[in-house]
Amino acid sequence: MDRPAGKGVSRRGVLVSGAACAAATAMPASASSKEPSAPMKTPPALPVQVKVNGKAAALTVDTRTTLLDALREHLHLTGTKKGCDHGQCGACTVIVNGRRINSCLSLAVMHDGDSVTTIEGLGTPEDLHPMQAAFVRHDGYQCGYCTPGQICSAVAVLDEIKAGIPSHVAADVAASPAFSEMEIRERMSGNICRCGAYSNIVEAIREAAGRRQA
Amino acid sequence: MKAFEYTRASSPADAAALAAKTPGARFIAGGTNLLDLMKLEIETPTHLIDVNKLALDRIEETSDGGLRIGALVRNTDLAADKRVRRDYAVLTRAIVAGASGQLRNKATTAGNLLQRTRCPYFYDPNQPCNKRKPGSGCAAIGGFSRQLAVIGTSKACIATYPGDMAIAMRLLDATVETVKPDGSTRKIAIADFHRLPGDTPHLDNTLQTGELITAVTLPKPLGGKHFYHKVRDRASYAFALVSVAAVVQKDGTGRVAFGGMAHKPWRVEAAEAALPKGAAATAKIAFAGATPTHDNAFKLQLAERTLAAVLHEARG
Ligand SMILES: Cc1cc2nc3c(=O)[nH]c(=O)nc-3n(C[C@H](O)[C@H](O)[C@H](O)COP(=O)(O)OP(=O)(O)OC[C@H]3O[C@@H](n4cnc5c(N)ncnc54)[C@H](O)[C@@H]3O)c2cc1C
Ligand code: SF4
Ligand code: FES
Ligand code: FES
């Protein structure tokens, strides 16, 4: 996004807050008195219950913990990636109650009672989700870092078209959207791939869409 | 991010009352703007009041033929509503021109209206910025100002309001409904909601401390052809350099509002009378007294040409 002057600072901010989260996780609550002169004695922590990939999970998290950090650091589901940590890249995309969101811009405590699907919940190595299989078949990646987010996003995109949600490239927003390459490119624009695997990603999604319609 | 307490609000009036009596409290809705700014410690609330469980997520017809949009209606749902797509297409077009599918799934009607500027110096805590830190100065004046405002600026701030949805709401003459900490309600015309920077650029809008947005209402449909043309540095997923929201009737009359030009959605009703005469005549009145910088003077020409493209399409 357009934020030239803030780049360096935001990266450092990410590292600092990431470290704060990790420290809070590793420490039992009773040890917090040993903490060096922190401004608040114990940072506020709250219980949350979420269903992740069909399994119930009960956590107690520092209120600052994002859904992304809860998935990665607390539940050890490291398939979901942290790219920018600012809603700009889509690497952290997961599906919450059937809708794709950026898990880096959402607090874990705001998801009490929610149902979350991550890349680990879509399929398994032995039994891939059709979208995962299509990405493999079409080489929809190079380094693979953006891929879990791309796949979660793509699965949700097909549902969004089916649900009739309009996009920026619609000639007539009142009409039902139809599947097209332009629609895919526009709807996937929140998922950045710095390896530039875009054309293969589009091919993979096209194939997965075709299979599902058949 | 600084540590904060977290409370789920139980009713709109309670949320407003709690926000007013808790120093450092902020509402959180989708979180897509607030959390971004909290990570950078540009926003440092000590208490977050989560409004997501309040029943403000419906779109209803009003008795005078308009629509009442709950403050928590997600951008995706507002853009996809059949009535909005049919009768207020400019609003759907503006929403889907902004952010990404993931962000629009979270972003709310109220949160979108209240999104903060994208001035690069506002985002850089090492730079003086009167909006972030009142009295510290403005690094954008004399700095990199390509994206910034060309009209309605002040000696204290030349930032723009960055959003898309609000430009369409300004065009449609929407009304913002709120509840205040004492439980009373008020209605604010969208024209009076966002403000110009003046000497107090830290205030983006006219909400009072603790005041909660409950809904946005739209008057009855205008008919005509609806347009939202957004010009940006890439084809998708970028903020506007310039945007034009317009409703044009068969006889060539209509309304127009501009995004990316000022600290608020820019609509000059007197300029709309010139729409049948064309883009140049309209832009001349809409941007009379503009104060562009060397870097962003191109926006004036770009806005006029974007309007010309819209009017051309309207005739076709
Ligand atoms: C990468 C990126 C790209 C983007 N691109 C665009 C774009 O192209 N165009 C565009 O228009 N926008 C864009 N956005 C901004 C996006 O639209 C906003 O972040 C979003 O609309 C904010 O809504 P929210 O519900 O998440 O707000 P929150 O972050 O929850 O809140 C924003 C503010 O509103 C206050 N608030 C929330 N609800 C209420 C209420 N009911 N009453 C009173 N105060 C309230 C909060 O206290 C906070 O100050 C982009 C954002 C990102 C991260
Ligand atoms: S233009 Fe406004 S937001 Fe930007 S640096 Fe100046 S005071 Fe801050
Ligand atoms: S890590 Fe969430 S969008 Fe980049
Ligand atoms: S495959 Fe490397 S970032 Fe997309």
Side-chain angles (χ1 to χ4, degrees), chain A residues 39-72:
Chain A
M40 261 192 214
K41 293 144 282 157
T42 318
L46 288 173
V48 218
Q49 302 205 18
V50 275
K51 205 181 216 182
V52 182
N53 300 329
K55 278 207 300 229
L59 301 171
T60 298
V61 292
D62 183 316
T63 52
R64 289 171 289 183
T65 312
T66 59
L67 177 61
L68 173 61
D69 286 337
L71 291 170
R72 290 182 54 87

PDB file of all heavy atoms in Angstrom, chain A residues 39-72:
ATOM      1  N   PRO A  39       5.420  -1.132  32.515  1.00  0.00           N
ATOM      2  CA  PRO A  39       4.463  -0.082  32.868  1.00  0.00           C
ATOM      3  C   PRO A  39       3.206  -0.637  33.539  1.00  0.00           C
ATOM      4  O   PRO A  39       2.693  -0.050  34.478  1.00  0.00           O
ATOM      5  CB  PRO A  39       4.135   0.574  31.519  1.00  0.00           C
ATOM      6  CG  PRO A  39       4.644  -0.354  30.453  1.00  0.00           C
ATOM      7  CD  PRO A  39       5.694  -1.192  31.086  1.00  0.00           C
ATOM      8  N   MET A  40       2.699  -1.797  33.068  1.00  0.00           N
ATOM      9  CA  MET A  40       1.554  -2.427  33.721  1.00  0.00           C
ATOM     10  C   MET A  40       2.084  -3.688  34.365  1.00  0.00           C
ATOM     11  O   MET A  40       2.893  -4.389  33.767  1.00  0.00           O
ATOM     12  CB  MET A  40       0.516  -2.811  32.669  1.00  0.00           C
ATOM     13  CG  MET A  40      -0.614  -1.824  32.557  1.00  0.00           C
ATOM     14  SD  MET A  40      -1.939  -2.528  31.575  1.00  0.00           S
ATOM     15  CE  MET A  40      -2.533  -1.065  30.776  1.00  0.00           C
ATOM     16  N   LYS A  41       1.621  -4.032  35.604  1.00  0.00           N
ATOM     17  CA  LYS A  41       2.194  -5.193  36.289  1.00  0.00           C
ATOM     18  C   LYS A  41       2.056  -6.445  35.441  1.00  0.00           C
ATOM     19  O   LYS A  41       3.016  -7.065  35.058  1.00  0.00           O
ATOM     20  CB  LYS A  41       1.522  -5.404  37.660  1.00  0.00           C
ATOM     21  CG  LYS A  41       1.805  -4.313  38.655  1.00  0.00           C
ATOM     22  CD  LYS A  41       0.591  -4.026  39.532  1.00  0.00           C
ATOM     23  CE  LYS A  41      -0.400  -3.185  38.765  1.00  0.00           C
ATOM     24  NZ  LYS A  41      -1.759  -3.177  39.132  1.00  0.00           N
ATOM     25  N   THR A  42       0.807  -6.800  35.157  1.00  0.00           N
ATOM     26  CA  THR A  42       0.579  -7.952  34.291  1.00  0.00           C
ATOM     27  C   THR A  42      -0.256  -7.457  33.126  1.00  0.00           C
ATOM     28  O   THR A  42      -1.307  -6.886  33.351  1.00  0.00           O
ATOM     29  CB  THR A  42      -0.231  -9.035  35.036  1.00  0.00           C
ATOM     30  OG1 THR A  42       0.297  -9.128  36.352  1.00  0.00           O
ATOM     31  CG2 THR A  42      -0.157 -10.367  34.331  1.00  0.00           C
ATOM     32  N   PRO A  43       0.205  -7.674  31.920  1.00  0.00           N
ATOM     33  CA  PRO A  43      -0.636  -7.236  30.807  1.00  0.00           C
ATOM     34  C   PRO A  43      -1.947  -8.017  30.825  1.00  0.00           C
ATOM     35  O   PRO A  43      -1.944  -9.210  31.115  1.00  0.00           O
ATOM     36  CB  PRO A  43       0.182  -7.570  29.557  1.00  0.00           C
ATOM     37  CG  PRO A  43       1.456  -8.170  30.009  1.00  0.00           C
ATOM     38  CD  PRO A  43       1.437  -8.319  31.482  1.00  0.00           C
ATOM     39  N   PRO A  44      -3.073  -7.334  30.565  1.00  0.00           N
ATOM     40  CA  PRO A  44      -4.358  -8.015  30.638  1.00  0.00           C
ATOM     41  C   PRO A  44      -4.406  -9.255  29.733  1.00  0.00           C
ATOM     42  O   PRO A  44      -3.959  -9.208  28.599  1.00  0.00           O
ATOM     43  CB  PRO A  44      -5.336  -6.953  30.142  1.00  0.00           C
ATOM     44  CG  PRO A  44      -4.651  -5.658  30.333  1.00  0.00           C
ATOM     45  CD  PRO A  44      -3.196  -5.931  30.196  1.00  0.00           C
ATOM     46  N   ALA A  45      -4.909 -10.360  30.302  1.00  0.00           N
ATOM     47  CA  ALA A  45      -5.072 -11.598  29.531  1.00  0.00           C
ATOM     48  C   ALA A  45      -6.495 -12.098  29.726  1.00  0.00           C
ATOM     49  O   ALA A  45      -7.099 -11.887  30.778  1.00  0.00           O
ATOM     50  CB  ALA A  45      -4.067 -12.646  29.991  1.00  0.00           C
ATOM     51  N   LEU A  46      -7.048 -12.733  28.702  1.00  0.00           N
ATOM     52  CA  LEU A  46      -8.441 -13.195  28.755  1.00  0.00           C
ATOM     53  C   LEU A  46      -8.578 -14.577  28.123  1.00  0.00           C
ATOM     54  O   LEU A  46      -7.813 -14.927  27.224  1.00  0.00           O
ATOM     55  CB  LEU A  46      -9.347 -12.215  27.993  1.00  0.00           C
ATOM     56  CG  LEU A  46      -9.622 -10.857  28.638  1.00  0.00           C
ATOM     57  CD1 LEU A  46     -10.393  -9.980  27.667  1.00  0.00           C
ATOM     58  CD2 LEU A  46     -10.406 -11.018  29.942  1.00  0.00           C
ATOM     59  N   PRO A  47      -9.564 -15.343  28.589  1.00  0.00           N
ATOM     60  CA  PRO A  47      -9.816 -16.639  27.962  1.00  0.00           C
ATOM     61  C   PRO A  47     -10.588 -16.489  26.636  1.00  0.00           C
ATOM     62  O   PRO A  47     -11.398 -15.575  26.508  1.00  0.00           O
ATOM     63  CB  PRO A  47     -10.682 -17.370  28.992  1.00  0.00           C
ATOM     64  CG  PRO A  47     -11.356 -16.286  29.764  1.00  0.00           C
ATOM     65  CD  PRO A  47     -10.466 -15.072  29.718  1.00  0.00           C
ATOM     66  N   VAL A  48     -10.295 -17.354  25.698  1.00  0.00           N
ATOM     67  CA  VAL A  48     -11.041 -17.405  24.426  1.00  0.00           C
ATOM     68  C   VAL A  48     -11.245 -18.867  24.062  1.00  0.00           C
ATOM     69  O   VAL A  48     -10.337 -19.681  24.220  1.00  0.00           O
ATOM     70  CB  VAL A  48     -10.257 -16.870  23.197  1.00  0.00           C
ATOM     71  CG1 VAL A  48     -11.145 -16.102  22.266  1.00  0.00           C
ATOM     72  CG2 VAL A  48      -8.990 -16.189  23.559  1.00  0.00           C
ATOM     73  N   GLN A  49     -12.432 -19.155  23.542  1.00  0.00           N
ATOM     74  CA  GLN A  49     -12.672 -20.495  23.006  1.00  0.00           C
ATOM     75  C   GLN A  49     -12.946 -20.361  21.522  1.00  0.00           C
ATOM     76  O   GLN A  49     -13.827 -19.616  21.122  1.00  0.00           O
ATOM     77  CB  GLN A  49     -13.891 -21.093  23.685  1.00  0.00           C
ATOM     78  CG  GLN A  49     -13.682 -21.150  25.183  1.00  0.00           C
ATOM     79  CD  GLN A  49     -14.512 -22.236  25.832  1.00  0.00           C
ATOM     80  OE1 GLN A  49     -14.984 -23.148  25.154  1.00  0.00           O
ATOM     81  NE2 GLN A  49     -14.688 -22.150  27.127  1.00  0.00           N
ATOM     82  N   VAL A  50     -12.162 -21.059  20.739  1.00  0.00           N
ATOM     83  CA  VAL A  50     -12.376 -21.050  19.285  1.00  0.00           C
ATOM     84  C   VAL A  50     -12.362 -22.477  18.770  1.00  0.00           C
ATOM     85  O   VAL A  50     -11.772 -23.370  19.383  1.00  0.00           O
ATOM     86  CB  VAL A  50     -11.264 -20.283  18.508  1.00  0.00           C
ATOM     87  CG1 VAL A  50     -11.532 -18.824  18.434  1.00  0.00           C
ATOM     88  CG2 VAL A  50      -9.902 -20.580  19.086  1.00  0.00           C
ATOM     89  N   LYS A  51     -13.040 -22.659  17.650  1.00  0.00           N
ATOM     90  CA  LYS A  51     -12.980 -23.954  16.992  1.00  0.00           C
ATOM     91  C   LYS A  51     -12.032 -23.767  15.825  1.00  0.00           C
ATOM     92  O   LYS A  51     -12.265 -22.912  14.969  1.00  0.00           O
ATOM     93  CB  LYS A  51     -14.380 -24.312  16.501  1.00  0.00           C
ATOM     94  CG  LYS A  51     -14.614 -25.789  16.347  1.00  0.00           C
ATOM     95  CD  LYS A  51     -16.010 -25.997  15.834  1.00  0.00           C
ATOM     96  CE  LYS A  51     -16.642 -27.229  16.433  1.00  0.00           C
ATOM     97  NZ  LYS A  51     -17.979 -27.426  15.872  1.00  0.00           N
ATOM     98  N   VAL A  52     -10.936 -24.520  15.820  1.00  0.00           N
ATOM     99  CA  VAL A  52      -9.980 -24.375  14.732  1.00  0.00           C
ATOM    100  C   VAL A  52      -9.908 -25.691  13.967  1.00  0.00           C
ATOM    101  O   VAL A  52      -9.597 -26.740  14.543  1.00  0.00           O
ATOM    102  CB  VAL A  52      -8.589 -23.973  15.267  1.00  0.00           C
ATOM    103  CG1 VAL A  52      -7.611 -23.790  14.107  1.00  0.00           C
ATOM    104  CG2 VAL A  52      -8.684 -22.675  16.066  1.00  0.00           C
ATOM    105  N   ASN A  53     -10.215 -25.633  12.698  1.00  0.00           N
ATOM    106  CA  ASN A  53     -10.234 -26.823  11.837  1.00  0.00           C
ATOM    107  C   ASN A  53     -11.069 -27.935  12.459  1.00  0.00           C
ATOM    108  O   ASN A  53     -10.685 -29.101  12.459  1.00  0.00           O
ATOM    109  CB  ASN A  53      -8.801 -27.295  11.543  1.00  0.00           C
ATOM    110  CG  ASN A  53      -8.002 -26.203  10.845  1.00  0.00           C
ATOM    111  OD1 ASN A  53      -8.566 -25.395  10.100  1.00  0.00           O
ATOM    112  ND2 ASN A  53      -6.714 -26.148  11.103  1.00  0.00           N
ATOM    113  N   GLY A  54     -12.186 -27.534  13.034  1.00  0.00           N
ATOM    114  CA  GLY A  54     -13.126 -28.509  13.586  1.00  0.00           C
ATOM    115  C   GLY A  54     -12.854 -28.913  15.023  1.00  0.00           C
ATOM    116  O   GLY A  54     -13.685 -29.560  15.651  1.00  0.00           O
ATOM    117  N   LYS A  55     -11.703 -28.516  15.566  1.00  0.00           N
ATOM    118  CA  LYS A  55     -11.377 -28.916  16.940  1.00  0.00           C
ATOM    119  C   LYS A  55     -11.513 -27.732  17.890  1.00  0.00           C
ATOM    120  O   LYS A  55     -11.030 -26.635  17.601  1.00  0.00           O
ATOM    121  CB  LYS A  55      -9.924 -29.424  17.008  1.00  0.00           C
ATOM    122  CG  LYS A  55      -9.790 -30.884  16.579  1.00  0.00           C
ATOM    123  CD  LYS A  55      -8.586 -31.567  17.236  1.00  0.00           C
ATOM    124  CE  LYS A  55      -7.267 -30.930  16.913  1.00  0.00           C
ATOM    125  NZ  LYS A  55      -6.184 -31.777  16.473  1.00  0.00           N
ATOM    126  N   ALA A  56     -12.135 -27.973  19.057  1.00  0.00           N
ATOM    127  CA  ALA A  56     -12.297 -26.899  20.030  1.00  0.00           C
ATOM    128  C   ALA A  56     -10.955 -26.603  20.689  1.00  0.00           C
ATOM    129  O   ALA A  56     -10.195 -27.519  21.004  1.00  0.00           O
ATOM    130  CB  ALA A  56     -13.325 -27.305  21.074  1.00  0.00           C
ATOM    131  N   ALA A  57     -10.662 -25.325  20.888  1.00  0.00           N
ATOM    132  CA  ALA A  57      -9.435 -24.938  21.575  1.00  0.00           C
ATOM    133  C   ALA A  57      -9.775 -23.868  22.602  1.00  0.00           C
ATOM    134  O   ALA A  57     -10.544 -22.959  22.319  1.00  0.00           O
ATOM    135  CB  ALA A  57      -8.422 -24.402  20.576  1.00  0.00           C
ATOM    136  N   ALA A  58      -9.232 -24.023  23.813  1.00  0.00           N
ATOM    137  CA  ALA A  58      -9.433 -23.015  24.860  1.00  0.00           C
ATOM    138  C   ALA A  58      -8.076 -22.399  25.169  1.00  0.00           C
ATOM    139  O   ALA A  58      -7.122 -23.112  25.485  1.00  0.00           O
ATOM    140  CB  ALA A  58     -10.040 -23.663  26.093  1.00  0.00           C
ATOM    141  N   LEU A  59      -8.001 -21.079  25.047  1.00  0.00           N
ATOM    142  CA  LEU A  59      -6.726 -20.392  25.249  1.00  0.00           C
ATOM    143  C   LEU A  59      -6.902 -19.256  26.238  1.00  0.00           C
ATOM    144  O   LEU A  59      -8.001 -18.743  26.400  1.00  0.00           O
ATOM    145  CB  LEU A  59      -6.259 -19.750  23.934  1.00  0.00           C
ATOM    146  CG  LEU A  59      -6.039 -20.624  22.716  1.00  0.00           C
ATOM    147  CD1 LEU A  59      -5.804 -19.741  21.497  1.00  0.00           C
ATOM    148  CD2 LEU A  59      -4.838 -21.517  22.970  1.00  0.00           C
ATOM    149  N   THR A  60      -5.789 -18.872  26.865  1.00  0.00           N
ATOM    150  CA  THR A  60      -5.791 -17.606  27.588  1.00  0.00           C
ATOM    151  C   THR A  60      -4.705 -16.758  26.941  1.00  0.00           C
ATOM    152  O   THR A  60      -3.553 -17.186  26.861  1.00  0.00           O
ATOM    153  CB  THR A  60      -5.507 -17.821  29.078  1.00  0.00           C
ATOM    154  OG1 THR A  60      -6.562 -18.624  29.591  1.00  0.00           O
ATOM    155  CG2 THR A  60      -5.472 -16.502  29.830  1.00  0.00           C
ATOM    156  N   VAL A  61      -5.103 -15.611  26.418  1.00  0.00           N
ATOM    157  CA  VAL A  61      -4.146 -14.800  25.658  1.00  0.00           C
ATOM    158  C   VAL A  61      -4.074 -13.369  26.162  1.00  0.00           C
ATOM    159  O   VAL A  61      -5.061 -12.802  26.644  1.00  0.00           O
ATOM    160  CB  VAL A  61      -4.517 -14.753  24.149  1.00  0.00           C
ATOM    161  CG1 VAL A  61      -4.338 -16.113  23.494  1.00  0.00           C
ATOM    162  CG2 VAL A  61      -5.931 -14.235  23.938  1.00  0.00           C
ATOM    163  N   ASP A  62      -2.882 -12.810  26.063  1.00  0.00           N
ATOM    164  CA  ASP A  62      -2.676 -11.373  26.221  1.00  0.00           C
ATOM    165  C   ASP A  62      -3.657 -10.702  25.253  1.00  0.00           C
ATOM    166  O   ASP A  62      -3.787 -11.148  24.107  1.00  0.00           O
ATOM    167  CB  ASP A  62      -1.215 -11.074  25.831  1.00  0.00           C
ATOM    168  CG  ASP A  62      -0.823  -9.614  26.026  1.00  0.00           C
ATOM    169  OD1 ASP A  62      -1.616  -8.730  25.644  1.00  0.00           O
ATOM    170  OD2 ASP A  62       0.286  -9.367  26.533  1.00  0.00           O
ATOM    171  N   THR A  63      -4.344  -9.656  25.693  1.00  0.00           N
ATOM    172  CA  THR A  63      -5.355  -9.042  24.818  1.00  0.00           C
ATOM    173  C   THR A  63      -4.756  -8.568  23.493  1.00  0.00           C
ATOM    174  O   THR A  63      -5.464  -8.432  22.503  1.00  0.00           O
ATOM    175  CB  THR A  63      -6.043  -7.833  25.499  1.00  0.00           C
ATOM    176  OG1 THR A  63      -5.025  -6.945  25.975  1.00  0.00           O
ATOM    177  CG2 THR A  63      -6.914  -8.274  26.670  1.00  0.00           C
ATOM    178  N   ARG A  64      -3.445  -8.342  23.455  1.00  0.00           N
ATOM    179  CA  ARG A  64      -2.812  -7.841  22.233  1.00  0.00           C
ATOM    180  C   ARG A  64      -2.607  -8.919  21.179  1.00  0.00           C
ATOM    181  O   ARG A  64      -2.279  -8.602  20.032  1.00  0.00           O
ATOM    182  CB  ARG A  64      -1.424  -7.252  22.569  1.00  0.00           C
ATOM    183  CG  ARG A  64      -1.500  -5.962  23.319  1.00  0.00           C
ATOM    184  CD  ARG A  64      -0.138  -5.549  23.819  1.00  0.00           C
ATOM    185  NE  ARG A  64       0.321  -6.412  24.904  1.00  0.00           N
ATOM    186  CZ  ARG A  64       1.455  -6.231  25.562  1.00  0.00           C
ATOM    187  NH1 ARG A  64       2.252  -5.239  25.246  1.00  0.00           N
ATOM    188  NH2 ARG A  64       1.787  -7.041  26.549  1.00  0.00           N
ATOM    189  N   THR A  65      -2.755 -10.179  21.555  1.00  0.00           N
ATOM    190  CA  THR A  65      -2.458 -11.273  20.632  1.00  0.00           C
ATOM    191  C   THR A  65      -3.398 -11.255  19.427  1.00  0.00           C
ATOM    192  O   THR A  65      -4.619 -11.266  19.579  1.00  0.00           O
ATOM    193  CB  THR A  65      -2.605 -12.624  21.361  1.00  0.00           C
ATOM    194  OG1 THR A  65      -1.897 -12.540  22.596  1.00  0.00           O
ATOM    195  CG2 THR A  65      -2.068 -13.766  20.524  1.00  0.00           C
ATOM    196  N   THR A  66      -2.835 -11.246  18.234  1.00  0.00           N
ATOM    197  CA  THR A  66      -3.678 -11.300  17.038  1.00  0.00           C
ATOM    198  C   THR A  66      -4.133 -12.748  16.825  1.00  0.00           C
ATOM    199  O   THR A  66      -3.525 -13.688  17.361  1.00  0.00           O
ATOM    200  CB  THR A  66      -2.908 -10.856  15.787  1.00  0.00           C
ATOM    201  OG1 THR A  66      -1.777 -11.710  15.621  1.00  0.00           O
ATOM    202  CG2 THR A  66      -2.470  -9.402  15.884  1.00  0.00           C
ATOM    203  N   LEU A  67      -5.163 -12.904  16.014  1.00  0.00           N
ATOM    204  CA  LEU A  67      -5.601 -14.260  15.661  1.00  0.00           C
ATOM    205  C   LEU A  67      -4.439 -15.005  15.011  1.00  0.00           C
ATOM    206  O   LEU A  67      -4.213 -16.194  15.275  1.00  0.00           O
ATOM    207  CB  LEU A  67      -6.811 -14.194  14.714  1.00  0.00           C
ATOM    208  CG  LEU A  67      -7.322 -15.543  14.206  1.00  0.00           C
ATOM    209  CD1 LEU A  67      -7.775 -16.446  15.346  1.00  0.00           C
ATOM    210  CD2 LEU A  67      -8.476 -15.326  13.211  1.00  0.00           C
ATOM    211  N   LEU A  68      -3.665 -14.294  14.184  1.00  0.00           N
ATOM    212  CA  LEU A  68      -2.511 -14.909  13.517  1.00  0.00           C
ATOM    213  C   LEU A  68      -1.517 -15.465  14.533  1.00  0.00           C
ATOM    214  O   LEU A  68      -1.079 -16.615  14.437  1.00  0.00           O
ATOM    215  CB  LEU A  68      -1.827 -13.868  12.616  1.00  0.00           C
ATOM    216  CG  LEU A  68      -0.511 -14.287  11.958  1.00  0.00           C
ATOM    217  CD1 LEU A  68      -0.702 -15.493  11.054  1.00  0.00           C
ATOM    218  CD2 LEU A  68       0.084 -13.116  11.171  1.00  0.00           C
ATOM    219  N   ASP A  69      -1.151 -14.662  15.535  1.00  0.00           N
ATOM    220  CA  ASP A  69      -0.189 -15.131  16.533  1.00  0.00           C
ATOM    221  C   ASP A  69      -0.779 -16.241  17.398  1.00  0.00           C
ATOM    222  O   ASP A  69      -0.057 -17.152  17.823  1.00  0.00           O
ATOM    223  CB  ASP A  69       0.301 -13.962  17.401  1.00  0.00           C
ATOM    224  CG  ASP A  69       1.277 -13.058  16.635  1.00  0.00           C
ATOM    225  OD1 ASP A  69       1.892 -13.545  15.672  1.00  0.00           O
ATOM    226  OD2 ASP A  69       1.407 -11.877  17.001  1.00  0.00           O
ATOM    227  N   ALA A  70      -2.087 -16.184  17.662  1.00  0.00           N
ATOM    228  CA  ALA A  70      -2.709 -17.257  18.445  1.00  0.00           C
ATOM    229  C   ALA A  70      -2.597 -18.579  17.676  1.00  0.00           C
ATOM    230  O   ALA A  70      -2.269 -19.616  18.245  1.00  0.00           O
ATOM    231  CB  ALA A  70      -4.175 -16.930  18.732  1.00  0.00           C
ATOM    232  N   LEU A  71      -2.844 -18.526  16.380  1.00  0.00           N
ATOM    233  CA  LEU A  71      -2.764 -19.749  15.565  1.00  0.00           C
ATOM    234  C   LEU A  71      -1.332 -20.276  15.523  1.00  0.00           C
ATOM    235  O   LEU A  71      -1.090 -21.466  15.735  1.00  0.00           O
ATOM    236  CB  LEU A  71      -3.239 -19.469  14.126  1.00  0.00           C
ATOM    237  CG  LEU A  71      -4.733 -19.181  13.952  1.00  0.00           C
ATOM    238  CD1 LEU A  71      -5.020 -18.677  12.534  1.00  0.00           C
ATOM    239  CD2 LEU A  71      -5.569 -20.433  14.249  1.00  0.00           C
ATOM    240  N   ARG A  72      -0.396 -19.384  15.287  1.00  0.00           N
ATOM    241  CA  ARG A  72       0.991 -19.815  15.091  1.00  0.00           C
ATOM    242  C   ARG A  72       1.705 -20.130  16.396  1.00  0.00           C
ATOM    243  O   ARG A  72       2.336 -21.172  16.531  1.00  0.00           O
ATOM    244  CB  ARG A  72       1.773 -18.740  14.323  1.00  0.00           C
ATOM    245  CG  ARG A  72       1.370 -18.603  12.846  1.00  0.00           C
ATOM    246  CD  ARG A  72       2.226 -17.548  12.154  1.00  0.00           C
ATOM    247  NE  ARG A  72       3.643 -17.831  12.329  1.00  0.00           N
ATOM    248  CZ  ARG A  72       4.337 -18.628  11.530  1.00  0.00           C
ATOM    249  NH1 ARG A  72       3.771 -19.184  10.483  1.00  0.00           N
ATOM    250  NH2 ARG A  72       5.618 -18.856  11.764  1.00  0.00           N
TER     251      ARG A  72
END
